[in-house]
Amino acid sequence: MTEEHQTLALLLFSAFVAVTLGITTWVSRNRRGSAEEFYAGGRLFSPMENGFAIAGDYMSAASFLGVTGLIALFGYDGLLYVVGFLVAWLVVLFLVAELVRNCGRFTMADVVAARMRERPVRIAAGTSSVTVSVLYLVAQMVGAGSLVALLLGGTSDAAQDWTVIGVGALMVIYVSLGGMRATTWIQIVKAVLLLGGTVVLTALVLVRFHGDVDRLLLTAAERSGHGAAFLAPGLKYGGDWTARFDFISLGLALVLGTAGLPHILSRFYTVPTARAARRSVVWAIGLIGGFYLMTIVLGFGAAAILGPDAVRGSNAAGNTAVPLLALDLGGGAGSTGGTVLFAIVAAVAFATILAVVAGITLASSASVAHDLYASLRRRRGKPRSEVAVARVAAVGVGVVAIALGLLARDLNVAFLVGLAFAVAASANLPVLLYSLFWRGFTTRGAVWAVYGGLIPAVVLVVLSPVVSGSPDSLFPGVDLQYFPLQNPGLVSIPLGFLAGWLGTVTSTEVPDEAKHAETEVRSLTGAGAA
């Protein structure tokens, strides 16, 4: 990229970072220091504000960079990510949002522990939440590395490495100083910027093709080198039965995983009532739905205008399709319009990454402090403040995410998020649904449901082509590939539900009918909710 690209984009990066750090500093001076303030922002946000924040939390680098790149490279099969990401919100709206807001205080473990023995349930749920959060964080780190490496004129390892480290440092600052209130406002600002940037790019793509969507699709198919196959199922997931099962596995993970993502569940506690939580989700569905419809146009636009070879030449996984598309739409390399549009899109994408990693880090640090620390600490002596532990945990989570982000920098960010969704659907969703809807559910069932989904999901990822056994693996020189699918959801999600059922029916514990009745009334009416 030219020096003008670099200078302008870096100025916009710096402006966004300065604004968000200003928000964080202002919030840190006005906070009360309570756990409710740090974890839930004092529960003061309106449904519209929280809806924008949820959208900002969900529309991640995987959506803006990864999904668009996959559509540009694989056409119809890349579009399937859009369908999965969006349909998942119906599960959240009808099964989770209102009930979780009524039953919990800060984390998913609060919902499960309401009618179980707290210690083993909180340890299991906290472990699962941190695992999912770290996997999700890695995807954002990889997106940041790809973006800034492109901006700085190449794909050098050093540029990507320092970008990952810088993003990790910023997210720790946001969370440790500002807590949920600062994180929420950062996500709202980011959602507005991202939606505005996406609207502009979509309009420019449609103008390029004079509003003729058919012409856009036919040009994309022609330039793809695959012809009509580019617009039909099977280019990525239809080669053989392994690829087809991989698609089913991915679909299950995307549709069911959102309802188990810790940073999404924690957003329902930032509003004052369950009705507000439900209205937040309605706002979020509208914003997210519009955004994903536009990413379809951008993906096929990148294929039609740039061509898959140019997208793949910049980044093999397709993560830089949107910035390159912006450069072309603005007038091409060297033009003032191209420079400005490229810089704006790069800055918006960077803002997207910073806002999402702040939300995920906050959710994982809350799980460490509120669930793991509170359950494992010794009872004697003066315990440390949960909020203080959460701030330390944010640093630890940041370090782990940075290390894994450096390792996985060549993988597609949407694909990495698919793994996080698979673990969330395998470990978190079964225990959540059983706790809310099964009267006979027991503590053993809860613990088995979490570990029965979490351990197989993680083990199957380790034994899959993602980690070893193929040229695109994390460790291409090693071959530990014993599981053929890239996404473990098809196997690990049923195992999570099965383990929860098996643990319950083999348990000698008598289910507490009174606690279940209390939880049921609270979940449906909000009576006694925090």
Side-chain angles (χ1 to χ4, degrees):
M1 295 300 152
T2 65
E3 189 175 336
E4 289 83 0
H5 289 105
Q6 297 178 17
T7 303
L8 185 56
L10 288 172
L11 284 174
L12 291 171
F13 283 180
S14 302
F16 180 80
V17 171
V19 169
T20 52
L21 287 176
I23 292 172
T24 303
T25 304
W26 176 75
V27 168
S28 67
R29 289 178 177 174
N30 292 278
R31 66 169 185 254
R32 297 192 299 271
S34 66
E36 185 174 281
E37 173 74 20
F38 185 82
Y39 294 143
R43 308 189 201 281
L44 299 174
F45 292 99
S46 69
M48 185 181 75
E49 290 169 343
N50 198 44
F52 268 88
I54 290 172
D57 223 349
Y58 194 69
M59 296 183 303
S60 65
S63 303
F64 191 52
L65 301 177
V67 170
T68 309
L70 285 172
I71 294 173
L73 297 179
F74 300 106
Y76 183 95
D77 280 13
L79 187 150
L80 296 171
Y81 275 86
V82 173
V83 177
F85 281 141
L86 188 54
V87 170
W89 279 98
L90 298 178
V91 179
V92 176
L93 178 62
F94 291 116
L95 291 180
V96 172
E98 189 173 352
L99 305 182
V100 165
R101 171 61 187 85
N102 283 337
C103 289
R105 293 182 66 228
F106 304 128
T107 66
M108 179 194 76
D110 291 335
V111 179
V112 184
R115 46 180 292 219
M116 311 290 176
R117 295 200 310 276
E118 283 205 33
R119 192 169 187 271
V121 167
R122 285 194 181 277
I123 291 172
T127 301
S128 172
S129 294
V130 171
T131 303
V132 172
S133 297
V134 168
L135 281 172
Y136 209 106
L137 277 172
V138 170
Q140 311 310 313
M141 299 294 194
V142 170
S146 299
L147 183 71
V148 176
L150 173 68
L151 173 70
L152 296 178
T155 54
S156 70
D157 293 346
Q160 296 190 47
D161 292 351
W162 281 110
T163 301
V164 168
I165 293 169
V167 170
L170 282 171
M171 76 183 186
V172 170
I173 293 171
Y174 291 147
V175 172
S176 58
L177 290 182
M180 178 59 86
R181 187 170 297 186
T183 299
T184 299
W185 282 112
I186 291 168
Q187 288 161 345
I188 292 172
V189 171
K190 166 256 170 143
V192 172
L193 290 174
L194 181 60
L195 287 168
T198 309
V199 167
V200 170
L201 287 180
T202 302
L204 289 174
V205 169
L206 293 176
V207 167
R208 176 73 67 91
F209 290 90
H210 307 289
D212 189 342
V213 177
D214 283 346
R215 184 180 165 202
L216 166 64
L217 296 176
L218 291 173
T219 306
E222 182 182 338
R223 293 206 62 184
S224 71
H226 298 286
F230 191 72
L231 303 178
L235 193 59
K236 181 175 173 61
Y237 294 110
D240 53 29
W241 279 106
T242 299
R244 294 173 190 177
F245 281 125
D246 227 339
F247 163 65
I248 297 172
S249 187
L250 173 67
L252 280 174
L254 295 181
V255 171
L256 300 178
T258 300
L261 292 175
H263 64 291
I264 297 298
L265 295 175
S266 66
R267 291 241 53 93
F268 301 136
Y269 301 124
T270 63
V271 289
T273 64
R275 183 170 180 265
R278 188 173 63 250
R279 290 174 61 198
S280 297
V281 176
V282 174
W283 270 98
I285 288 175
L287 296 168
I288 293 166
F291 169 77
Y292 279 123
L293 287 175
M294 291 186 287
T295 61
I296 296 173
V297 176
L298 295 184
F300 284 111
I305 295 171
L306 303 173
D309 291 340
V311 173
R312 202 177 273 112
S314 172
N315 181 276
N319 293 331
T320 53
V322 174
L324 291 175
L325 178 63
L327 179 62
D328 192 286
L329 291 171
S335 67
T336 301
T339 299
V340 171
L341 197 56
F342 174 89
I344 290 173
V345 168
V348 168
F350 195 65
T352 294
I353 291 164
L354 287 179
V356 172
V357 297
I360 302 168
T361 305
L362 180 61
S364 55
S365 63
S367 292
V368 171
H370 186 61
D371 300 326
L372 297 178
Y373 170 75
S375 299
L376 294 173
R377 68 176 172 83
R378 294 180 178 180
R379 299 296 177 184
R380 62 176 180 273
K382 185 178 180 180
R384 293 186 65 182
S385 161
E386 262 192 32
V387 174
V389 174
R391 292 195 174 101
V392 174
V395 177
V397 170
V399 170
V400 173
I402 288 170
L404 292 175
L406 296 176
L407 191 65
R409 60 177 168 233
D410 294 325
L411 296 181
N412 182 278
V413 288
F415 167 72
L416 287 170
V417 164
L419 297 183
F421 274 62
V423 178
S426 304
N428 291 350
L429 187 64
V431 71
L432 199 58
L433 294 183
Y434 279 150
S435 298
L436 290 171
F437 299 109
W438 188 6
R439 183 180 300 273
F441 198 43
T442 64
T443 302
R444 177 189 282 183
V447 174
W448 282 26
V450 173
Y451 292 129
L454 176 64
I455 294 173
V458 173
V459 169
L460 290 177
V461 168
V462 171
L463 300 179
S464 75
V466 177
V467 174
S468 67
S470 72
D472 299 326
S473 301
L474 290 180
F475 303 104
V478 181
D479 190 0
L480 296 174
Q481 181 188 335
Y482 296 101
F483 181 67
L485 305 184
Q486 294 189 334
N487 191 294
L490 185 63
V491 176
S492 59
I493 295 172
L495 284 178
F497 281 98
L498 177 62
W501 172 82
L502 190 61
T504 297
V505 298
T506 60
S507 173
T508 58
E509 176 185 354
V510 178
D512 192 322
E513 293 286 339
K515 280 189 178 180
H516 176 268
E518 180 185 341
T519 302
E520 188 174 39
V521 170
R522 181 187 297 177
S523 67
L524 295 175
T525 67

